[in-house]
PDB file of all heavy atoms in Angstrom:
ATOM      1  N   SER A   4      67.456 -37.167 -47.864  1.00 95.00           N
ATOM      2  CA  SER A   4      68.587 -37.033 -46.911  1.00 95.00           C
ATOM      3  C   SER A   4      69.525 -35.886 -47.229  1.00 95.00           C
ATOM      4  O   SER A   4      70.246 -35.383 -46.437  1.00 95.00           O
ATOM      5  CB  SER A   4      69.405 -38.366 -46.940  1.00 95.00           C
ATOM      6  OG  SER A   4      69.908 -38.641 -48.260  1.00 95.00           O
ATOM      7  N   ALA A   5      69.542 -35.444 -48.511  1.00 95.00           N
ATOM      8  CA  ALA A   5      70.298 -34.360 -48.917  1.00 95.00           C
ATOM      9  C   ALA A   5      70.084 -33.114 -48.094  1.00 95.00           C
ATOM     10  O   ALA A   5      71.015 -32.312 -47.877  1.00 95.00           O
ATOM     11  CB  ALA A   5      70.227 -34.016 -50.360  1.00 95.00           C
ATOM     12  N   VAL A   6      68.875 -32.914 -47.649  1.00 96.00           N
ATOM     13  CA  VAL A   6      68.551 -31.756 -46.826  1.00 96.00           C
ATOM     14  C   VAL A   6      68.360 -32.115 -45.345  1.00 96.00           C
ATOM     15  O   VAL A   6      68.744 -31.433 -44.464  1.00 96.00           O
ATOM     16  CB  VAL A   6      67.276 -31.016 -47.433  1.00 96.00           C
ATOM     17  CG1 VAL A   6      66.842 -29.922 -46.517  1.00 96.00           C
ATOM     18  CG2 VAL A   6      67.482 -30.479 -48.812  1.00 96.00           C
ATOM     19  N   ALA A   7      67.691 -33.292 -45.163  1.00 95.00           N
ATOM     20  CA  ALA A   7      67.352 -33.701 -43.843  1.00 95.00           C
ATOM     21  C   ALA A   7      68.610 -34.016 -42.968  1.00 95.00           C
ATOM     22  O   ALA A   7      68.693 -33.628 -41.767  1.00 95.00           O
ATOM     23  CB  ALA A   7      66.450 -34.912 -43.841  1.00 95.00           C
ATOM     24  N   VAL A   8      69.610 -34.715 -43.533  1.00 96.00           N
ATOM     25  CA  VAL A   8      70.812 -35.055 -42.664  1.00 96.00           C
ATOM     26  C   VAL A   8      71.579 -33.781 -42.252  1.00 96.00           C
ATOM     27  O   VAL A   8      71.880 -33.699 -41.072  1.00 96.00           O
ATOM     28  CB  VAL A   8      71.643 -36.063 -43.458  1.00 96.00           C
ATOM     29  CG1 VAL A   8      72.961 -36.197 -42.798  1.00 96.00           C
ATOM     30  CG2 VAL A   8      70.900 -37.409 -43.572  1.00 96.00           C
ATOM     31  N   PRO A   9      71.857 -32.842 -43.166  1.00 95.00           N
ATOM     32  CA  PRO A   9      72.497 -31.641 -42.584  1.00 95.00           C
ATOM     33  C   PRO A   9      71.603 -30.879 -41.581  1.00 95.00           C
ATOM     34  O   PRO A   9      72.152 -30.480 -40.568  1.00 95.00           O
ATOM     35  CB  PRO A   9      72.698 -30.752 -43.937  1.00 95.00           C
ATOM     36  CG  PRO A   9      72.702 -31.697 -45.074  1.00 95.00           C
ATOM     37  CD  PRO A   9      71.848 -32.847 -44.666  1.00 95.00           C
ATOM     38  N   SER A  10      70.389 -30.890 -41.802  1.00 95.00           N
ATOM     39  CA  SER A  10      69.441 -30.295 -40.735  1.00 95.00           C
ATOM     40  C   SER A  10      69.535 -30.944 -39.419  1.00 95.00           C
ATOM     41  O   SER A  10      69.627 -30.327 -38.360  1.00 95.00           O
ATOM     42  CB  SER A  10      68.063 -30.243 -41.232  1.00 95.00           C
ATOM     43  OG  SER A  10      67.855 -29.487 -42.373  1.00 95.00           O
ATOM     44  N   ALA A  11      69.603 -32.323 -39.458  1.00 93.00           N
ATOM     45  CA  ALA A  11      69.727 -33.093 -38.209  1.00 93.00           C
ATOM     46  C   ALA A  11      71.059 -32.727 -37.519  1.00 93.00           C
ATOM     47  O   ALA A  11      71.137 -32.894 -36.272  1.00 93.00           O
ATOM     48  CB  ALA A  11      69.619 -34.527 -38.486  1.00 93.00           C
ATOM     49  N   ALA A  12      72.054 -32.279 -38.247  1.00 93.00           N
ATOM     50  CA  ALA A  12      73.315 -31.958 -37.622  1.00 93.00           C
ATOM     51  C   ALA A  12      73.355 -30.487 -37.398  1.00 93.00           C
ATOM     52  O   ALA A  12      74.511 -30.026 -36.966  1.00 93.00           O
ATOM     53  CB  ALA A  12      74.486 -32.377 -38.589  1.00 93.00           C
ATOM     54  N   GLY A  13      72.275 -29.746 -37.542  1.00 93.00           N
ATOM     55  CA  GLY A  13      72.184 -28.339 -37.221  1.00 93.00           C
ATOM     56  C   GLY A  13      72.824 -27.441 -38.298  1.00 93.00           C
ATOM     57  O   GLY A  13      73.079 -26.308 -38.104  1.00 93.00           O
ATOM     58  N   ILE A  14      72.930 -27.941 -39.536  1.00 95.00           N
ATOM     59  CA  ILE A  14      73.576 -27.177 -40.648  1.00 95.00           C
ATOM     60  C   ILE A  14      72.457 -26.804 -41.614  1.00 95.00           C
ATOM     61  O   ILE A  14      71.774 -27.660 -42.214  1.00 95.00           O
ATOM     62  CB  ILE A  14      74.547 -28.058 -41.354  1.00 95.00           C
ATOM     63  CG1 ILE A  14      75.679 -28.501 -40.430  1.00 95.00           C
ATOM     64  CG2 ILE A  14      75.208 -27.255 -42.550  1.00 95.00           C
ATOM     65  CD1 ILE A  14      76.692 -29.489 -41.052  1.00 95.00           C
ATOM     66  N   PRO A  15      72.215 -25.508 -41.820  1.00 95.00           N
ATOM     67  CA  PRO A  15      71.280 -25.047 -42.816  1.00 95.00           C
ATOM     68  C   PRO A  15      71.908 -25.115 -44.161  1.00 95.00           C
ATOM     69  O   PRO A  15      73.044 -24.728 -44.355  1.00 95.00           O
ATOM     70  CB  PRO A  15      70.956 -23.605 -42.431  1.00 95.00           C
ATOM     71  CG  PRO A  15      72.243 -23.160 -41.749  1.00 95.00           C
ATOM     72  CD  PRO A  15      72.842 -24.374 -41.052  1.00 95.00           C
ATOM     73  N   VAL A  16      71.168 -25.563 -45.217  1.00 95.00           N
ATOM     74  CA  VAL A  16      71.853 -25.708 -46.558  1.00 95.00           C
ATOM     75  C   VAL A  16      71.820 -24.310 -47.174  1.00 95.00           C
ATOM     76  O   VAL A  16      72.641 -24.086 -48.133  1.00 95.00           O
ATOM     77  CB  VAL A  16      71.084 -26.687 -47.405  1.00 95.00           C
ATOM     78  CG1 VAL A  16      71.309 -28.158 -46.817  1.00 95.00           C
ATOM     79  CG2 VAL A  16      69.675 -26.429 -47.603  1.00 95.00           C
ATOM     80  N   THR A  17      70.976 -23.401 -46.772  1.00 94.00           N
ATOM     81  CA  THR A  17      70.987 -21.993 -47.196  1.00 94.00           C
ATOM     82  C   THR A  17      70.955 -21.132 -45.941  1.00 94.00           C
ATOM     83  O   THR A  17      70.389 -21.501 -44.860  1.00 94.00           O
ATOM     84  CB  THR A  17      69.822 -21.603 -48.138  1.00 94.00           C
ATOM     85  OG1 THR A  17      68.566 -21.748 -47.434  1.00 94.00           O
ATOM     86  CG2 THR A  17      69.885 -22.507 -49.344  1.00 94.00           C
ATOM     87  N   HIS A  18      71.484 -19.928 -46.044  1.00 94.00           N
ATOM     88  CA  HIS A  18      71.438 -18.911 -44.963  1.00 94.00           C
ATOM     89  C   HIS A  18      71.558 -17.513 -45.477  1.00 94.00           C
ATOM     90  O   HIS A  18      72.451 -17.278 -46.297  1.00 94.00           O
ATOM     91  CB  HIS A  18      72.454 -19.220 -43.904  1.00 94.00           C
ATOM     92  CG  HIS A  18      72.429 -18.433 -42.670  1.00 94.00           C
ATOM     93  ND1 HIS A  18      71.447 -18.660 -41.714  1.00 94.00           N
ATOM     94  CD2 HIS A  18      73.189 -17.395 -42.128  1.00 94.00           C
ATOM     95  CE1 HIS A  18      71.506 -17.849 -40.686  1.00 94.00           C
ATOM     96  NE2 HIS A  18      72.562 -17.021 -40.890  1.00 94.00           N
ATOM     97  N   ARG A  19      70.732 -16.627 -44.991  1.00 92.00           N
ATOM     98  CA  ARG A  19      70.713 -15.326 -45.573  1.00 92.00           C
ATOM     99  C   ARG A  19      72.060 -14.694 -45.429  1.00 92.00           C
ATOM    100  O   ARG A  19      72.632 -14.643 -44.278  1.00 92.00           O
ATOM    101  CB  ARG A  19      69.611 -14.424 -44.882  1.00 92.00           C
ATOM    102  CG  ARG A  19      69.508 -13.065 -45.439  1.00 92.00           C
ATOM    103  CD  ARG A  19      68.082 -12.482 -45.085  1.00 92.00           C
ATOM    104  NE  ARG A  19      67.949 -12.449 -43.688  1.00 92.00           N
ATOM    105  CZ  ARG A  19      68.028 -11.332 -42.987  1.00 92.00           C
ATOM    106  NH1 ARG A  19      68.424 -10.190 -43.576  1.00 92.00           N
ATOM    107  NH2 ARG A  19      67.866 -11.252 -41.701  1.00 92.00           N
ATOM    108  N   GLY A  20      72.605 -14.080 -46.388  1.00 91.00           N
ATOM    109  CA  GLY A  20      73.898 -13.443 -46.438  1.00 91.00           C
ATOM    110  C   GLY A  20      75.079 -14.421 -46.503  1.00 91.00           C
ATOM    111  O   GLY A  20      76.220 -13.917 -46.587  1.00 91.00           O
ATOM    112  N   VAL A  21      74.855 -15.666 -46.491  1.00 92.00           N
ATOM    113  CA  VAL A  21      75.920 -16.714 -46.628  1.00 92.00           C
ATOM    114  C   VAL A  21      75.865 -17.462 -47.839  1.00 92.00           C
ATOM    115  O   VAL A  21      76.776 -17.611 -48.683  1.00 92.00           O
ATOM    116  CB  VAL A  21      75.849 -17.596 -45.394  1.00 92.00           C
ATOM    117  CG1 VAL A  21      76.966 -18.701 -45.520  1.00 92.00           C
ATOM    118  CG2 VAL A  21      76.120 -16.876 -44.165  1.00 92.00           C
ATOM    119  N   SER A  22      74.641 -18.062 -48.136  1.00 91.00           N
ATOM    120  CA  SER A  22      74.431 -18.886 -49.348  1.00 91.00           C
ATOM    121  C   SER A  22      73.048 -18.820 -49.820  1.00 91.00           C
ATOM    122  O   SER A  22      72.084 -19.073 -49.069  1.00 91.00           O
ATOM    123  CB  SER A  22      74.765 -20.467 -49.004  1.00 91.00           C
ATOM    124  OG  SER A  22      74.565 -21.183 -50.107  1.00 91.00           O
ATOM    125  N   GLN A  23      72.870 -18.444 -51.095  1.00 92.00           N
ATOM    126  CA  GLN A  23      71.529 -18.275 -51.685  1.00 92.00           C
ATOM    127  C   GLN A  23      71.211 -19.567 -52.574  1.00 92.00           C
ATOM    128  O   GLN A  23      70.217 -19.533 -53.263  1.00 92.00           O
ATOM    129  CB  GLN A  23      71.494 -17.044 -52.504  1.00 92.00           C
ATOM    130  CG  GLN A  23      71.746 -15.789 -51.726  1.00 92.00           C
ATOM    131  CD  GLN A  23      71.715 -14.527 -52.560  1.00 92.00           C
ATOM    132  OE1 GLN A  23      70.991 -14.524 -53.593  1.00 92.00           O
ATOM    133  NE2 GLN A  23      72.447 -13.512 -52.247  1.00 92.00           N
ATOM    134  N   GLU A  24      72.086 -20.499 -52.615  1.00 94.00           N
ATOM    135  CA  GLU A  24      71.820 -21.680 -53.487  1.00 94.00           C
ATOM    136  C   GLU A  24      72.516 -22.913 -52.854  1.00 94.00           C
ATOM    137  O   GLU A  24      73.458 -22.771 -52.085  1.00 94.00           O
ATOM    138  CB  GLU A  24      72.382 -21.397 -54.775  1.00 94.00           C
ATOM    139  CG  GLU A  24      73.933 -21.165 -54.877  1.00 94.00           C
ATOM    140  CD  GLU A  24      74.515 -20.818 -56.147  1.00 94.00           C
ATOM    141  OE1 GLU A  24      74.085 -21.448 -57.231  1.00 94.00           O
ATOM    142  OE2 GLU A  24      75.380 -19.980 -56.286  1.00 94.00           O
ATOM    143  N   PHE A  25      71.985 -24.041 -53.205  1.00 95.00           N
ATOM    144  CA  PHE A  25      72.727 -25.302 -52.855  1.00 95.00           C
ATOM    145  C   PHE A  25      72.601 -26.281 -54.018  1.00 95.00           C
ATOM    146  O   PHE A  25      71.623 -26.282 -54.777  1.00 95.00           O
ATOM    147  CB  PHE A  25      72.200 -25.938 -51.530  1.00 95.00           C
ATOM    148  CG  PHE A  25      70.779 -26.430 -51.586  1.00 95.00           C
ATOM    149  CD1 PHE A  25      70.463 -27.754 -51.861  1.00 95.00           C
ATOM    150  CD2 PHE A  25      69.735 -25.579 -51.277  1.00 95.00           C
ATOM    151  CE1 PHE A  25      69.205 -28.148 -51.811  1.00 95.00           C
ATOM    152  CE2 PHE A  25      68.449 -26.087 -51.258  1.00 95.00           C
ATOM    153  CZ  PHE A  25      68.087 -27.391 -51.539  1.00 95.00           C
ATOM    154  N   HIS A  26      73.582 -27.114 -54.171  1.00 96.00           N
ATOM    155  CA  HIS A  26      73.746 -28.059 -55.258  1.00 96.00           C
ATOM    156  C   HIS A  26      73.807 -29.476 -54.561  1.00 96.00           C
ATOM    157  O   HIS A  26      74.633 -29.631 -53.726  1.00 96.00           O
ATOM    158  CB  HIS A  26      75.010 -27.755 -56.071  1.00 96.00           C
ATOM    159  CG  HIS A  26      75.042 -26.419 -56.640  1.00 96.00           C
ATOM    160  ND1 HIS A  26      74.520 -25.990 -57.840  1.00 96.00           N
ATOM    161  CD2 HIS A  26      75.519 -25.243 -56.073  1.00 96.00           C
ATOM    162  CE1 HIS A  26      74.794 -24.792 -58.040  1.00 96.00           C
ATOM    163  NE2 HIS A  26      75.357 -24.194 -56.977  1.00 96.00           N
ATOM    164  N   VAL A  27      72.966 -30.387 -55.059  1.00 96.00           N
ATOM    165  CA  VAL A  27      73.037 -31.750 -54.657  1.00 96.00           C
ATOM    166  C   VAL A  27      73.633 -32.595 -55.654  1.00 96.00           C
ATOM    167  O   VAL A  27      73.197 -32.595 -56.892  1.00 96.00           O
ATOM    168  CB  VAL A  27      71.544 -32.257 -54.321  1.00 96.00           C
ATOM    169  CG1 VAL A  27      71.632 -33.723 -53.780  1.00 96.00           C
ATOM    170  CG2 VAL A  27      70.901 -31.437 -53.325  1.00 96.00           C
ATOM    171  N   VAL A  28      74.739 -33.234 -55.361  1.00 96.00           N
ATOM    172  CA  VAL A  28      75.556 -33.961 -56.319  1.00 96.00           C
ATOM    173  C   VAL A  28      75.753 -35.382 -55.936  1.00 96.00           C
ATOM    174  O   VAL A  28      76.034 -35.746 -54.798  1.00 96.00           O
ATOM    175  CB  VAL A  28      76.965 -33.338 -56.383  1.00 96.00           C
ATOM    176  CG1 VAL A  28      77.838 -33.992 -57.444  1.00 96.00           C
ATOM    177  CG2 VAL A  28      76.857 -31.805 -56.782  1.00 96.00           C
ATOM    178  N   SER A  29      75.475 -36.272 -56.898  1.00 93.00           N
ATOM    179  CA  SER A  29      75.736 -37.711 -56.779  1.00 93.00           C
ATOM    180  C   SER A  29      77.297 -37.906 -57.150  1.00 93.00           C
ATOM    181  O   SER A  29      77.677 -37.574 -58.326  1.00 93.00           O
ATOM    182  CB  SER A  29      74.911 -38.557 -57.737  1.00 93.00           C
ATOM    183  OG  SER A  29      75.437 -39.865 -57.700  1.00 93.00           O
ATOM    184  N   ALA A  30      78.032 -38.347 -56.146  1.00 92.00           N
ATOM    185  CA  ALA A  30      79.499 -38.480 -56.419  1.00 92.00           C
ATOM    186  C   ALA A  30      79.878 -39.998 -56.561  1.00 92.00           C
ATOM    187  O   ALA A  30      80.943 -40.401 -56.102  1.00 92.00           O
ATOM    188  CB  ALA A  30      80.279 -37.846 -55.254  1.00 92.00           C
ATOM    189  N   HIS A  31      78.983 -40.779 -57.103  1.00 90.00           N
ATOM    190  CA  HIS A  31      79.299 -42.264 -57.233  1.00 90.00           C
ATOM    191  C   HIS A  31      80.299 -42.553 -58.216  1.00 90.00           C
ATOM    192  O   HIS A  31      80.853 -43.654 -58.288  1.00 90.00           O
ATOM    193  CB  HIS A  31      78.020 -42.985 -57.558  1.00 90.00           C
ATOM    194  CG  HIS A  31      77.413 -42.725 -58.804  1.00 90.00           C
ATOM    195  ND1 HIS A  31      76.728 -41.589 -59.156  1.00 90.00           N
ATOM    196  CD2 HIS A  31      77.413 -43.510 -60.031  1.00 90.00           C
ATOM    197  CE1 HIS A  31      76.425 -41.632 -60.463  1.00 90.00           C
ATOM    198  NE2 HIS A  31      76.778 -42.780 -60.937  1.00 90.00           N
ATOM    199  N   VAL A  32      80.724 -41.553 -59.076  1.00 90.00           N
ATOM    200  CA  VAL A  32      81.868 -41.716 -60.015  1.00 90.00           C
ATOM    201  C   VAL A  32      82.781 -40.489 -59.734  1.00 90.00           C
ATOM    202  O   VAL A  32      82.312 -39.382 -59.387  1.00 90.00           O
ATOM    203  CB  VAL A  32      81.411 -41.811 -61.491  1.00 90.00           C
ATOM    204  CG1 VAL A  32      80.613 -43.003 -61.724  1.00 90.00           C
ATOM    205  CG2 VAL A  32      80.566 -40.548 -61.883  1.00 90.00           C
ATOM    206  N   ALA A  33      84.057 -40.650 -59.935  1.00 92.00           N
ATOM    207  CA  ALA A  33      85.015 -39.573 -59.626  1.00 92.00           C
ATOM    208  C   ALA A  33      84.924 -38.496 -60.615  1.00 92.00           C
ATOM    209  O   ALA A  33      84.436 -38.650 -61.729  1.00 92.00           O
ATOM    210  CB  ALA A  33      86.438 -40.232 -59.678  1.00 92.00           C
ATOM    211  N   PRO A  34      85.356 -37.225 -60.285  1.00 93.00           N
ATOM    212  CA  PRO A  34      85.370 -36.098 -61.122  1.00 93.00           C
ATOM    213  C   PRO A  34      85.960 -36.308 -62.530  1.00 93.00           C
ATOM    214  O   PRO A  34      85.540 -35.790 -63.512  1.00 93.00           O
ATOM    215  CB  PRO A  34      86.028 -34.978 -60.433  1.00 93.00           C
ATOM    216  CG  PRO A  34      85.918 -35.409 -58.965  1.00 93.00           C
ATOM    217  CD  PRO A  34      85.945 -36.871 -58.915  1.00 93.00           C
ATOM    218  N   ASP A  35      87.040 -37.173 -62.572  1.00 90.00           N
ATOM    219  CA  ASP A  35      87.802 -37.372 -63.859  1.00 90.00           C
ATOM    220  C   ASP A  35      87.240 -38.573 -64.652  1.00 90.00           C
ATOM    221  O   ASP A  35      87.864 -38.927 -65.662  1.00 90.00           O
ATOM    222  CB  ASP A  35      89.272 -37.471 -63.593  1.00 90.00           C
ATOM    223  CG  ASP A  35      89.588 -38.624 -62.658  1.00 90.00           C
ATOM    224  OD1 ASP A  35      88.680 -39.239 -62.038  1.00 90.00           O
ATOM    225  OD2 ASP A  35      90.800 -38.938 -62.469  1.00 90.00           O
ATOM    226  N   ASP A  36      86.205 -39.152 -64.132  1.00 91.00           N
ATOM    227  CA  ASP A  36      85.670 -40.432 -64.792  1.00 91.00           C
ATOM    228  C   ASP A  36      84.918 -39.953 -66.015  1.00 91.00           C
ATOM    229  O   ASP A  36      84.083 -38.994 -65.918  1.00 91.00           O
ATOM    230  CB  ASP A  36      84.768 -41.138 -63.828  1.00 91.00           C
ATOM    231  CG  ASP A  36      84.344 -42.539 -64.419  1.00 91.00           C
ATOM    232  OD1 ASP A  36      83.944 -42.649 -65.448  1.00 91.00           O
ATOM    233  OD2 ASP A  36      84.683 -43.524 -63.619  1.00 91.00           O
TER     234      ASP A  36
END
């Protein structure tokens, strides 16, 4: 779903000249945890 759901909404996770990388993050705990 990390890639398929953005695609279903028309959002590419990478695009030439815009983003050459993507990071998939589990946020089930807060950044300061």
